[in-house]
Amino acid sequence: MSIDESDIPALARGCAILGTGGGGDVRTGSLAAVRAIRAYGEVPLVELADLPGDALVVPLSGIGAPTVGHEMIHGEDEPERVAEEVERLFGRPPSAIMSSEIGGSNGVAPVAWAARLGVPLLDADGMGRAFPEVQMVSMYVAGLPADLVIMSDIVGNVVTIRPIDGLWSERLARAVCVAAGSHALMADYVLTAGAARGAVIEGTVTRALEIGRATEGAADPLGALRDRLGAVRLITGKLTDVDRRTTGGFVRGAATIEGAGDERGRRLTVELQNENLVAVEDGAVRAMVPDLITIVDTETAAAVQTESLRYGQRVSVLAWPCDPLWRTPKGLETAGPRAFGYDLDYVPVEELTAHG
């Protein structure tokens, strides 16, 4: 299978949904992907089983605040600079590109990067969604060493970091990101296909395409999306307050939705750090990270990303279960509510919504 220009709109819609508000604006990633496909041709989409065990897989993603990336987009040369550094360090070029996170623009832009480099795109990622921090990937949960990060920025700087563990990879990469204007391209967990087996979440590009196509021509786009995701609708109403600030290389804040129609009088607050983390109503948690929480346009079911939240938007909030990897003890330690400073024990969204 190959990804061609006609696939990009559906891929972008699906990645935006999986981005849970973060991962970057899919419009910039879509433009880059279309431009690259027109210049370099379709991008083969391969499974891990298609690659030899020693094939070098390079996970790529943008790192930084989505509000910055919305205005300061990636240049065309950054992936080449990263690939050159990979070849310098490993003595051979990348065999495939993988999205570090399938959510948001970081799920779409790898099509452009793979096309530019002339290599296939792996049908997998490290999250099954989007998360804000470098160590919040399946490879870290699987116990692979986080001993290499390569970064390149828009002006041409290339930085290679040799951290001692995943937490230090976040601290050091974030510092470089902030110095670069809170936006850079990053390769982390460069690994062989053999090492990737069991350490990455497979099939996520295909899943994003399926999610994006679910609403095409649907009489009830929101219902079609809910069915495809297996999601619960937490509220439908109007966005009445947005508290959003860019600090430390992240977007932090909260969005408040007041119910409309039969839900008038209800109020749901979604707290965020690049991604939507916790949904609270009347002091009760309705959904929490690592489960997915996405704000969508009520009429079109298109995702509304963090940097696009505006007063008065008519929206619905959907929540659904994360990949099982994130519900393991190590997964929750890495990306559960306490990893973000919440004094909350994780409760699956299925249980929270069944009780409310």
Side-chain angles (χ1 to χ4, degrees):
M1 175 183 175
S2 292
I3 296 179
D4 61 29
E5 185 177 341
S6 68
D7 293 315
I8 300 304
L11 179 63
R13 285 193 298 272
C15 289
I17 293 295
L18 293 171
T20 63
D25 190 330
V26 295
R27 290 174 294 181
T28 56
S30 297
L31 290 171
V34 168
R35 177 182 172 89
I37 288 171
R38 289 175 179 175
Y40 305 107
E42 299 177 2
V43 174
L45 183 65
V46 299
E47 300 178 2
L48 266 179
D50 299 327
L51 298 174
D54 61 351
L56 204 58
V57 177
V58 178
L60 283 176
S61 67
I63 177 175
T67 46
V68 175
H70 182 59
E71 298 181 1
M72 187 172 71
I73 61 175
H74 290 295
E76 293 187 330
D77 296 331
E78 289 159 86
E80 288 192 350
R81 289 194 290 266
V82 170
E84 288 169 0
E85 183 68 359
V86 168
E87 185 168 4
R88 185 184 74 82
L89 293 172
F90 289 87
R92 53 200 169 105
S95 299
I97 294 299
M98 184 184 85
S99 168
S100 294
E101 61 176 359
I102 194 64
S105 186
N106 277 329
V108 186
V111 176
W113 303 331
R116 175 88 174 183
L117 297 174
V119 298
L121 178 67
L122 185 62
D123 190 4
D125 83 307
M127 300 183 189
R129 46 161 299 157
F131 280 124
E133 298 186 10
V134 174
Q135 81 282 5
M136 294 175 176
V137 290
S138 59
M139 296 82 82
Y140 178 75
V141 176
L144 297 185
D147 55 4
L148 175 65
V149 177
I150 303 169
M151 301 175 66
S152 179
D153 66 9
I154 189 69
V155 298
N157 294 306
V158 177
V159 177
T160 298
I161 304 169
R162 291 287 192 178
I164 59 172
D165 60 26
L167 296 177
W168 272 104
S169 71
E170 161 60 26
R171 294 187 188 105
L172 296 172
R174 192 66 51 183
V176 172
C177 171
V178 171
S182 290
H183 190 57
L185 183 65
M186 176 180 69
D188 59 335
Y189 279 98
V190 178
L191 72 173
T192 64
R197 295 186 179 109
V200 300
I201 301 174
E202 297 191 54
T204 49
V205 178
T206 297
R207 175 164 168 75
L209 283 164
E210 292 170 348
I211 292 170
R213 289 171 178 148
T215 57
E216 292 179 351
D220 176 13
L222 184 60
L225 180 61
R226 286 177 61 191
D227 290 344
R228 168 57 66 179
L229 296 172
V232 61
R233 181 177 57 81
L234 300 181
I235 197 170
T236 291
K238 183 174 77 170
L239 195 60
T240 59
D241 188 44
V242 180
D243 170 23
R244 181 177 50 215
R245 57 200 180 278
T246 301
T247 177
F250 297 107
V251 177
R252 301 178 189 271
T256 300
I257 300 95
E258 294 190 359
D262 294 341
E263 298 178 59
R264 190 177 301 276
R266 295 179 56 203
R267 176 180 292 182
L268 184 82
T269 298
V270 179
E271 300 183 11
L272 59 93
Q273 178 186 324
N274 287 8
E275 286 75 37
N276 305 318
L277 300 180
V278 177
V280 181
E281 182 178 3
D282 294 331
V285 175
R286 300 291 311 283
M288 67 178 76
V289 70
D291 289 329
L292 291 82
I293 305 167
T294 290
I295 301 173
V296 302
D297 182 282
T298 297
E299 293 300 319
T300 66
V304 182
Q305 291 170 288
T306 297
E307 62 272 23
S308 300
L309 295 170
R310 300 289 185 273
Y311 173 85
Q313 289 171 323
R314 268 54 180 181
V315 298
S316 296
V317 181
L318 303 180
W320 66 100
C322 60
D323 187 270
L325 171 141
W326 296 113
R327 292 182 172 183
T328 64
K330 183 64 174 179
L332 291 173
E333 176 190 330
T334 303
R338 294 187 186 279
F340 295 94
Y342 291 99
D343 187 18
L344 295 171
D345 292 325
Y346 171 71
V347 180
V349 63
E350 309 94 296
E351 296 181 26
L352 289 171
T353 51
H355 296 161

